[in-house]
Amino acid sequence: PSPHPATELTMASAAKDEQKPRAKKIPAPLSLILPAPPTNKSTIQQFCATVDRLWGADRILRSLQYGLRAVAHSPELSQETRILGATFAAAFSQARYINRLYGIADGTEGLLYDVPKGGPTIERIAKIAVHGIGGVGYHVLENTALLLMIIRRCDPIKIPRLRGWLVKTGYWDAADDLDAIAQWCWLVEVLGKLVLFARQLSRIAKEKQQARERGDVAEEERLLTERAIVVLDCVKLLADIPCAIHFATMYGNKPGMFRPRWIGILGLIGSMAQFVVRYRRQA
């Protein structure tokens, strides 16, 4: 017998362990290796994250467009200032045309994936209006108007066949009228979104009451923030209603229904309200 039986048992156990297949070492998750991202963004980071997205950049262009439109129709300013305001407002407006070329695809995606299969009928109708009429219909008309505007910048003498076809079909001077018709699509989209936001505010109110009854302070604060964002969205939409009606009634080179200066101010207010929404969502 061995003088050290305990040692022999330990060695035998170790030999058996060596014969067993060893489990593969699983690396630690990246979240444990890499430092966690900062939870709070600085103001400049949040601003850049907002304008880096298409809708955030569009809100800046829209604010400039409408703000300069208000400048262009302010009689207390000098004529030179008003002319410069009108010129730059038109430039930013056309920049937004280019910025929104993706709108048809975006509206189609909304029709395919955002319209609920079941649920309340009013919500289905509102989303079809938002994506179908406001998304696809609006951008088809706007993009066609943009295409005609670009063609009109060419020297007519150098594009005789295309100009002749457009004149024959009545589209050579149709850009402004197509743009006016598109504004009715915009109005339908605005009304559809207001219906959806009204339902969202009702849901937030119910969930906030439930959170208060449970004593869930964190959830109540989150819902208050969400409500503030939805209210800002509604401010933008309410400002859009007179703007859409004004531009829609400019069909046939008419002056529109409201004073251009007030349209500029309303458009600026709506644009800034929605920029704050985009900015808050980056927090």
Side-chain angles (χ1 to χ4, degrees):
S2 170
H4 304 289
T7 304
E8 285 186 356
L9 287 172
T10 304
M11 292 176 65
S13 177
K16 286 181 182 179
D17 288 342
E18 285 183 0
Q19 292 174 2
K20 292 179 182 178
R22 293 184 178 180
K24 292 184 180 179
K25 211 171 187 180
I26 301 174
L30 288 177
S31 58
L32 299 179
I33 299 172
L34 300 176
T39 55
N40 295 321
K41 296 179 181 177
S42 66
T43 302
I44 185 65
Q45 285 178 315
Q46 201 166 325
F47 176 81
C48 290
T50 305
V51 298
D52 190 47
R53 294 175 179 272
L54 185 60
W55 279 111
D58 185 70
R59 296 308 93 175
I60 294 292
L61 291 173
R62 193 179 191 270
S63 299
L64 292 169
Q65 172 195 349
Y66 279 98
L68 289 168
R69 182 182 290 273
V71 168
H73 294 91
S74 298
E76 64 272 12
L77 300 177
S78 67
Q79 182 181 6
E80 185 175 354
T81 301
R82 286 186 279 116
I83 289 174
L84 287 171
T87 303
F88 278 95
F92 286 121
S93 175
Q94 291 181 3
R96 292 187 63 229
Y97 273 104
I98 301 296
N99 210 23
R100 298 196 305 267
L101 282 174
Y102 79 100
I104 298 173
D106 186 58
T108 303
E109 180 194 19
L111 284 173
L112 293 174
Y113 301 107
D114 191 43
V115 179
K117 302 296 183 184
T121 303
I122 189 171
E123 187 172 329
R124 285 176 52 82
I125 293 173
K127 289 199 172 186
I128 290 171
V130 167
H131 297 303
I133 300 175
V136 178
Y138 174 84
H139 287 98
V140 165
L141 292 167
E142 285 263 293
N143 293 344
T144 304
L146 172 64
L147 180 63
L148 292 172
M149 288 177 189
I150 295 172
I151 293 173
R152 285 289 301 271
R153 291 185 178 183
C154 299
D155 186 348
I157 299 175
K158 296 181 179 179
I159 52 168
R161 286 184 297 179
L162 179 58
R163 181 183 182 279
W165 181 80
L166 289 174
V167 170
K168 183 179 178 181
T169 55
Y171 285 109
W172 180 254
D173 295 315
D176 290 337
D177 286 345
L178 288 175
D179 187 64
I181 296 171
Q183 309 316 308
W184 291 117
C185 296
W186 178 23
L187 181 61
V188 171
E189 178 188 11
V190 168
L191 297 176
K193 285 183 176 180
L194 281 173
V195 170
L196 294 173
F197 283 138
R199 293 178 63 82
Q200 189 173 352
L201 286 173
S202 177
R203 176 188 60 79
I204 291 172
K206 291 178 182 177
E207 292 181 1
K208 179 174 170 292
Q209 181 63 31
Q210 293 170 358
R212 179 173 295 179
E213 291 172 357
R214 295 193 310 268
D216 193 340
V217 178
E219 177 66 7
E220 192 173 353
E221 290 180 352
R222 186 192 70 79
L223 290 168
L224 285 172
T225 301
E226 185 180 348
R227 185 180 67 180
I229 289 175
V230 175
V231 168
L232 284 172
D233 270 323
C234 290
V235 169
K236 189 264 180 185
L237 292 172
L238 291 172
D240 282 349
I241 291 175
C243 293
I245 294 173
H246 174 78
F247 292 125
T249 53
M250 293 177 72
Y251 185 88
N253 293 323
K254 293 177 183 176
M257 183 174 290
F258 305 107
R259 291 185 179 182
R261 182 180 186 179
W262 285 109
I263 292 300
I265 292 171
L266 287 172
L268 177 61
I269 291 171
S271 301
M272 295 305 298
Q274 201 164 54
F275 180 81
V276 172
V277 170
R278 308 293 176 187
Y279 181 84
R280 290 289 297 273
R281 290 195 186 281
Q282 294 301 320

